[in-house]
Amino acid sequence: MICYLDREEVPDVEDISPAVLRYLVERAEAAAGRYQRLDDYYRGLHPILRQRKTADEVQVAVNYAKYVVDLGLGYYLGEPVKYDGNPRRRKESGPFGGVEVSLGRRRAAREALDLSPLLDCFDRQHISEVDQEIGKGMGIFGECLELCYASSEEQPRPRSAKIDPRSGILVCDSTVEHNKLFALVWERRETTAREKYYFLTVYTDRTERDYRSDDLKTAVFHQVGPEREHFFGEVPVIGYENNGERQGDFEQIISLIDAYDQLMSSRLTDKKKFVDALLVFFGMTLREGDEGRLAREKFLDGAPLDARVEYIQKTFDEQSVQVLADALVREMHKMTLTVDMSDEKFAGNASGQALKLKLLTMNLMVKNKIRRMERGLKERFRLYNRWLYTKGEMDLVGTNDVDVVFTVNMPIDEGEIVEMVTRLQGIVDDQTLLSQLWFIRDPAEALENIRRQRGEAKQTEQKEEGT
């Protein structure tokens, strides 16, 4: 979770008051009920499954919460995020009071950014899986945290881990900028002697410390082990918000999910009772043993000529129930801005442009997610870059010099995209055009390969002309 405190409450982040730590843990425990409820819905543990039922009652849960989260997640994070290192410009200044050389004319040297050390750290830990977990946490809880840390390898490398908002707290100041103060990762542990205690790790912009508290009421925290220095240059915890209200993707349709579960359960219960109809005999009485014989042989002999046998069945209006179920499904998709992929009218023979219009609401939803997640991914880039720079493995790179590229999984007209890229040659730079092609993962690398290939072809042509 993300909390806000006045700076006066924490005058020195390297010496945080135990009362502040206690306050934060208590706030996290108070918010755990909401997070747990959302997590239960995503896992399919709906309230209807916890209700007491009779022998002939059916209880089912239709997990639209998971459907909504996973559909949006696959739509904008189904393909790994790309990092496009754009060329940067450097000004050459002269020694005369900041006056630039060459009679004050500006010169800019363009050079390709070397992101390979940082991207290698991403590839080693399969960062796309971490992105998927963070995106899922945003969709379920409305917010999520990421912890950047040094690996335990012989040669440590920066790594990332998703932190559940139930066990992580990012503390920011109460200004409009919400600058980070420190972060807290905590959990309740238990010893083999069944003694419970709180274990906390506090992260500041320079260090990290472990604390233990046997009784939260006394607000006594004992430091465990020495403090450790990290090299990220700022608090190594990143906060991701799903939206301005920090609500999950399905949080506003929980009542509709409950209503749909209740409708489907009642529908199946009525269906079961409809099948279990009563068999009634008119004008005769069964003798001893006839019930068992009828059940085994499905035949009964010796009935009077005027006797009659009928089933008494409950009337069941399937059509009206289906109309109500469809209405609930439409409302759930409308409120979550998702599309119903199972709708027979969704695709049909529609053109690519018509499909884009049908996916408009979903595009609006994921664009908002992308904007908020891009901010966190750039912050991660900055932390990794600072760590590698401190270790002497990489130059400092500004986050504005790197583009975070999301590939939305939507139906595309491959021929139309290739034609567009071909027509824009000479108008748009080659790297931007290559980034539009769906099968190219690294536009900068592809552009470098093209240049190398052209150079080799030119050398071969010159050799042939010389001979």
Side-chain angles (χ1 to χ4, degrees), residues 19 32 61 78 83 103 106 129-130 181-182 189-190 224 300 306 313 328 341 386 405 416:
Y83 296 85
L103 302 178
R106 295 183 178 181
E129 296 181 3
V130 180
L181 296 176
F182 63 95
R189 295 182 179 180
E190 187 177 60
V224 180
L300 188 62
D306 59 346
Q313 297 176 336
L328 288 174
M341 296 296 184
R386 181 58 182 265
V405 182
E416 182 181 348

Side-chain angles (χ1 to χ4, degrees), residues 86-90 108-112 429:
N86 288 327
R88 58 184 174 181
R89 297 180 179 271
R90 291 180 177 176
R110 295 174 64 90
E111 62 180 48
D429 64 278

Side-chain angles (χ1 to χ4, degrees), residues 20 40 57 65 110 121 176 221 266 309 322 329 350 451-452:
V20 173
D40 287 344
E57 188 177 2
R110 295 174 64 90
C121 293
V176 293
F221 292 88
S266 300
V309 180
Q322 185 60 44
V329 171
R451 291 172 178 169
R452 184 174 64 253

Side-chain angles (χ1 to χ4, degrees), residues 32-51:
R34 169 179 170 266
Y35 292 134
Q36 188 61 48
R37 178 170 177 251
L38 295 173
D39 189 46
D40 287 344
Y41 270 91
Y42 178 80
R43 295 176 180 273
L45 304 177
H46 297 186
I48 194 170
L49 300 179
R50 295 192 291 268
Q51 297 176 2

